Each structure stands twice: as structure tokens, then as C-alpha cells.
Amino acid sequence: MDINFENLLLLNMVPGLLPSHQYKLLKYFGTADKILKSSIQELRQVANISEELSAKIFATKETIDIKKELDLIEKHNVSIITIFDDTYPKILKSMPDPPLILYVKGKLLREDDNSIAIVGCRKASSYGKIIAEKFAGDLAVKGFTIVSGMARGIDTYAHRGCLAKNGRTIAVLGNGLVHCYPPESKNLMSEISENGAVISEFSMQTKPERFNFPRRNRIISGISLGIIVVEAPKSSGALITADFALEQGKEVFAIPGNINSENSIGPNNLIKNGAKLVENIEDIIEELRPILPLPLKEDKQTNSYLPILSQDEQKLYQNINSDPVHIDVLVRNCGFEISKTNYLLLNLEIKKIIQQIPGKLFIRT
């Protein structure tokens, strides 16, 4: 193992040392080796490097077990990409204070340059989950790599929608790759690493602490050409990601939502403030096409047509759209008896053009 490589890992593992600190130190001293050999007094000469941080850096080689870190990297089949490597994503390198180190489980490929992030809240509605899954799948078919944070809710459905269409997806974690967070996503994490990459800037044993996630969010936007916000209440981390995207000069897209839903506050406010309202992936492609690093794949799937519907089925179908609608509303709007409505709904479900979701609600597929 190259000693410079080990020194970069050590520098990245100093508690409280942010990327902005790392780059100030590297600019001043030139190499990680020189930083770690410097005295506390010498380290204090660098702007914003406090005495406390200087002491932690000075003690690094004594307090951090680099051998254990290297053993964990090997055990979990993780590769390391540094900011100085040719394989480091160019788009990420262009953001302010990019991660010095990327821990990667899986592979980052050239085709991932066409990446777009899909983010949203953990307590997603059925509508939000369906939209995240559909947009991710449709964009994957066109050749986009889908980026998200593997959190519960919108993130999970974005990854799943992409994987369902055999697309590439990248999960950015706010913890070390020893841990799977959330724990129930262990199988999803494995699937993503086999069909893309799970990445983190945090050392292997770092736990998923709350203060790590804003750093994670800046990478989600940093490695993407733009982000799509599906659902997000006022306090959602998805809005932090949107703020990072704006700071980084990235495109921000938002899915409009029901004005009575708390989950719609974030995307609707983003639209008010200039984010592009999107209703389908063509709205996104139109905006991103001039800046795409790579050509998109031709969609070789045949055009989909509605199956043959009876007059009554057509009438019912026309009253169902992307917003969940209750069966009582359908009975009232169509004028059918409840028994006939149930029969027609079953026919439309069998024809796979609508889907029932909890609460006697129906939505187009």
C-alpha cells in the first residue's frame, strides 16, 4: 500500500476535519505526509485550523488505527478513489471542497457522467413512491444513472425503480460502508453495488449520525447534473440537497403536489422560487440535453398503447389520473353502482393500466 495513500486516509479520518480544512492544509503544506509530520505550532499557521484541530492532526498517527481501516476496506471489497486519481468523477471534482476520499462499493463508470438525483422525504405518500419509481425507471431507460441517498421513502423507490429497468444507480451514504442504513435496506445496498455503486466520504466505521447527512447531501447534488425533488415537507433533507444544488449551479426540478399535503410544501415552494415544474421525463431531458456529457440511449421499447376498453371502462379510466382518487369519488363522477364500479376497476387492474393503493384509492400506472 502506497504511504501517500495511507496518509490521505489518515487525514480524512481526523475527527472534525472538514474537506475545507483538508484543502487549506494541502495547499499550505503540499502533501498529506508533510501535514501529518508538522507540529501543532506549524499547523496553527493555516487559516481556520484551531488549536484543537491541530492537536487532533498531530496525534493522528498515534490515535487512529490505519491497519484496521485497511483491513475493513479489503474485507468489505471496497475500493478507494482519491481526488488525485483519474477515476475520480469529474463533475464531483468541480464542486467546492469535494470529498478528498471516496469509498466505493461497486464501480463508478464513464456512463455515470449522465447522472440525475431523485430525492424526497422518508414518510412518502403512495403517490410520491409511485412517481419516484416511475421517473427513475423511465430515466434509466434513457441512459441516466439515478443518484439518491438510500434512505427510507422516496430514495428507496428511486433506486428500486432504476434497478427494475436494469439501470445504473448510485447511493450516497452518510456513514461508513461497514454499516447499512437503514438496516432493512441490506439487500437493496447489495443490489445497488452490483448495478452501480454505493459511495461515502466517511471512514469505514463511521456511524450514521445526524450531522453527517448534510455532507452526504452535498455529494448527491455534486455528482449529479440536476436533482428532482418529489416530496418534501418544510424540514426535509431533500430541501438541503436542493440548496446545495443551487449553490453548485445545478438544475433543480420539482414534482408538483397536492396543496393540502404537507409533503407538497417543499416542491411547490421550489417551483414558486424558480425550480422547473416537471410532469414527465421529457421536461427534464429538454432542460439537460444541452449540457449532457454523453448522448442518451435510444428508447428501443415499443410505444405502449392502451388495451381495448369498453365504453364504461373508458369513462372510468378517464376519471383516474396520477393523483390517487377514492372509489366513492369514482362512483359519484361516473354515475355507476358500487358493484359495477368494483367490477370495472378489477378489469382495469387486470389490464395493468391502473393500480389500487391502500385506502380504496386508485391511480394510473
Side-chain angles (χ1 to χ4, degrees):
M1 187 66 69
D2 185 90
I3 191 166
N4 291 328
F5 172 88
E6 291 188 19
N7 286 334
L8 286 172
L9 278 179
L10 279 167
L11 189 63
N12 194 60
M13 294 172 71
V14 176
L17 194 69
L18 301 176
S20 57
H21 297 136
Q22 293 168 354
Y23 288 110
K24 283 185 174 70
L25 288 163
L26 284 169
K27 185 176 180 180
Y28 187 89
F29 289 102
T31 66
D33 182 50
K34 289 182 180 178
I35 294 168
L36 297 171
K37 287 180 177 177
S38 298
S39 66
I40 292 176
Q41 291 73 22
E42 289 170 326
L43 293 166
R44 288 283 287 118
Q45 301 303 309
V46 181
N48 299 324
I49 303 299
S50 65
E51 186 168 350
E52 181 184 3
L53 267 182
S54 298
K56 288 179 180 177
I57 297 166
F58 182 75
T60 293
K61 290 192 175 182
E62 300 298 326
T63 58
I64 295 177
D65 188 346
I66 189 63
K67 184 180 183 304
K68 185 174 183 179
E69 181 76 356
L70 295 171
D71 288 344
L72 287 171
I73 288 169
E74 183 177 0
K75 178 182 177 181
H76 291 270
N77 196 26
V78 170
S79 56
I80 299 295
I81 301 175
T82 78
I83 190 73
F84 305 108
D85 295 332
D86 293 336
T87 51
Y88 192 96
K90 290 181 181 178
I91 190 170
L92 191 59
K93 194 178 288 190
S94 66
M95 67 177 265
D97 299 324
L100 181 66
I101 297 282
L102 285 179
Y103 291 76
V104 181
K105 191 169 179 62
K107 289 184 179 178
L108 294 174
L109 303 179
R110 172 79 171 101
E111 62 197 81
D112 297 329
D113 288 354
N114 278 4
S115 292
I116 187 161
I118 299 179
V119 296
C121 59
R122 287 169 171 77
K123 296 180 180 179
S125 69
S126 297
Y127 165 75
K129 293 172 183 177
I130 289 168
I131 291 296
E133 194 168 31
K134 176 174 173 51
F135 269 65
D138 290 349
L139 287 164
V141 168
K142 291 291 188 181
F144 283 96
T145 295
I146 304 302
V147 180
S148 201
M150 213 179 79
R152 298 181 180 100
I154 296 299
D155 290 20
T156 290
Y157 280 84
H159 290 304
R160 285 179 178 170
C162 177
L163 292 168
K165 294 295 179 74
N166 299 314
R168 284 187 56 78
T169 183
I170 296 171
V172 186
L173 304 191
N175 50 267
L177 298 188
V178 163
H179 306 288
C180 177
Y181 183 79
E184 67 269 20
S185 293
K186 188 175 181 180
N187 289 339
L188 178 61
M189 184 176 177
S190 178
E191 283 187 68
I192 294 170
S193 65
E194 291 171 4
N195 299 274
V198 180
I199 68 174
S200 175
E201 70 175 315
F202 297 102
S203 58
M204 293 295 291
Q205 296 184 86
T206 304
K207 294 181 179 179
E209 305 286 358
R210 179 181 293 272
F211 50 79
N212 291 341
F213 289 94
R215 287 181 61 178
R216 181 276 304 264
N217 292 346
R218 92 189 198 288
I219 298 176
I220 291 176
S221 60
I223 203 169
S224 308
L225 297 169
I227 72 162
I228 307 166
V229 180
V230 179
E231 288 187 322
K234 281 183 179 179
S235 59
S236 174
L239 299 181
I240 296 174
T241 311
D243 287 340
F244 279 124
L246 290 170
E247 290 174 10
Q248 295 163 359
K250 304 297 178 69
E251 299 291 341
V252 176
F253 305 97
I255 305 293
N258 185 330
I259 61 172
N260 296 314
S261 169
E262 184 182 352
N263 283 355
S264 300
I265 293 174
N268 288 354
N269 281 341
L270 286 172
I271 292 167
K272 281 183 185 179
N273 292 314
K276 179 159 185 173
L277 184 156
V278 292
E279 298 176 307
N280 53 61
I281 66 164
E282 294 305 323
D283 293 335
I284 297 163
I285 293 172
E286 176 188 16
E287 199 75 21
L288 292 181
R289 194 179 292 280
I291 62 170
L292 288 175
L294 301 170
L296 292 176
K297 292 178 181 177
E298 289 297 324
D299 187 352
K300 296 180 180 179
Q301 294 182 344
T302 56
N303 292 329
S304 59
Y305 297 94
L306 283 177
I308 297 174
L309 303 179
S310 70
Q311 187 173 349
D312 287 343
E313 286 172 342
Q314 287 180 19
K315 184 176 181 180
L316 187 62
Y317 183 71
Q318 287 169 0
N319 280 272
I320 301 171
N321 52 47
S322 59
D323 286 322
V325 58
H326 195 272
I327 189 171
D328 291 345
V329 176
L330 294 172
V331 169
R332 184 171 62 249
N333 290 350
C334 297
F336 299 138
E337 295 290 333
I338 184 70
S339 58
K340 181 174 182 178
T341 303
N342 275 319
Y343 170 76
L344 294 172
L345 286 169
L346 180 60
N347 285 349
L348 295 179
E349 284 189 85
I350 291 172
K351 293 175 180 179
K352 297 182 178 180
I353 59 173
I354 70 164
Q355 177 183 347
Q356 182 175 358
I357 58 180
K360 286 286 184 180
L361 297 168
F362 295 84
I363 190 169
R364 287 191 184 189
T365 57

